[in-house]
Amino acid sequence: GENVEQHPSTLSVQEGDSAVIKCTYSDSASNYFPWYKQELGKRPQLIIDIRSNVGEKKDQRIAVTLNKTAKHFSLHITETQPEDSAVYFCAASNEGGKLIFGQGTELSVKP
Amino acid sequence: DAGVIQSPRHEVTEMGQEVTLRCKPISGHNSLFWYRQTMMRGLELLIYFNNNVPIDDSGMPEDRFSAKMPNASFSTLKIQPSEPRDSAVYFCASSAASGRARNEQFFGPGTRLTVL
């Protein structure tokens, strides 16, 4: 069935370093790949997304890359700051709109 | 727009009681999703609706759980009878099925349910 695998489950970096989170998906019909950030006690919030007609998208310090052939996509955060500390979720969906979420990555940015 | 609205924000109840969670999606969105989040199982999709019609309820854990969407601006998730293992944060999310922002899901603040 549909599945999204996310790695690593925890990631600790020094402030100013880059962080990379990777996801793979199983459903070849997937065409929409959002990333959510969830701070402790808060709701998941969309930070960036990519659709299958592009290979890369960037928004200031965050970027997402997509490799449809290999069925994997990645989140890149550059110049990390302590406020980037949170749990990050990747997800994949097809035209039906149902999102399949990864297991989450707990990112810790140490000052 | 106020975003997705959920109520109550917190609910504490005793085992065996009926619990009803409520959600108002973003105006104009025609897809609505109910999720459950726990430390052990992460973020699980329970059920979702398109145009008020349930499309996929394969994530509903058992018959004690039911969901309705009587109109485009309101949905309920009911647990009857509730059990301690139902304790979790329940999120509602909505999205538009068409347009540039199609499939972008916006989450409500969640309902933290504790069943004693």
Side-chain angles (χ1 to χ4, degrees), chain A residues 11-104:
Chain A
L11 179 59
S12 181
V13 300
Q14 286 295 131
E15 181 177 2
D17 288 350
S18 295
V20 180
I21 303 170
K22 298 182 179 181
C23 290
T24 58
Y25 60 97
S26 60
D27 184 359
S28 56
S30 297
N31 58 7
Y32 174 63
F33 308 91
W35 286 87
Y36 286 83
K37 175 184 181 182
Q38 187 177 27
E39 297 176 346
L40 190 62
K42 302 285 183 64
R43 76 189 80 185
Q45 293 204 295
L46 180 71
I47 56 170
I48 194 169
D49 57 11
I50 191 168
R51 298 186 190 269
S52 58
N53 56 344
V54 297
E56 184 173 0
K57 184 177 178 181
K58 190 173 182 180
D59 183 4
Q60 298 182 340
R61 294 186 298 108
I62 59 174
V64 57
T65 58
L66 171 65
N67 183 329
K68 285 217 73 179
T69 303
K71 289 194 268 187
H72 67 70
F73 56 113
S74 302
L75 177 72
H76 303 250
I77 306 174
T78 59
E79 300 172 31
T80 53
Q81 301 167 2
E83 52 264 40
D84 294 330
S85 296
V87 178
Y88 291 80
F89 292 94
C90 64
S93 85
N94 56 26
E95 281 300 326
K98 174 181 175 180
L99 284 179
I100 306 298
F101 280 89
Q103 298 86 347

Side-chain angles (χ1 to χ4, degrees), chain B residues 11-113:
Chain B
E11 177 83 21
V12 180
T13 191
E14 292 189 345
M15 183 173 64
Q17 296 298 304
E18 177 179 296
V19 175
T20 299
L21 311 181
R22 298 174 175 79
C23 176
K24 178 177 170 25
I26 291 173
S27 177
H29 282 187
N30 52 0
S31 296
L32 184 141
F33 305 80
W34 281 103
Y35 293 91
R36 177 173 68 177
Q37 187 174 38
T38 61
M39 287 294 292
M40 291 295 294
R41 300 176 68 90
L43 199 56
E44 303 173 274
L45 176 66
L46 301 177
I47 184 171
Y48 78 97
F49 298 82
N50 280 350
N51 297 315
N52 314 338
V53 176
I55 302 300
D56 184 345
D57 66 354
S58 59
M60 296 285 261
E62 47 199 275
D63 291 347
R64 298 184 298 105
F65 285 69
S66 63
K68 294 182 180 179
M69 192 164 186
N71 57 62
S73 59
F74 183 65
S75 177
T76 59
L77 177 68
K78 187 176 291 187
I79 308 172
Q80 165 64 14
S82 58
E83 297 182 2
R85 60 193 167 119
D86 302 330
S87 297
V89 179
Y90 290 81
F91 287 104
C92 175
S94 70
S95 69
S98 60
R100 274 188 78 220
R102 69 186 186 282
N103 294 346
E104 288 183 22
Q105 289 189 25
F106 295 87
F107 282 74
T111 295
R112 182 174 295 277
L113 173 65

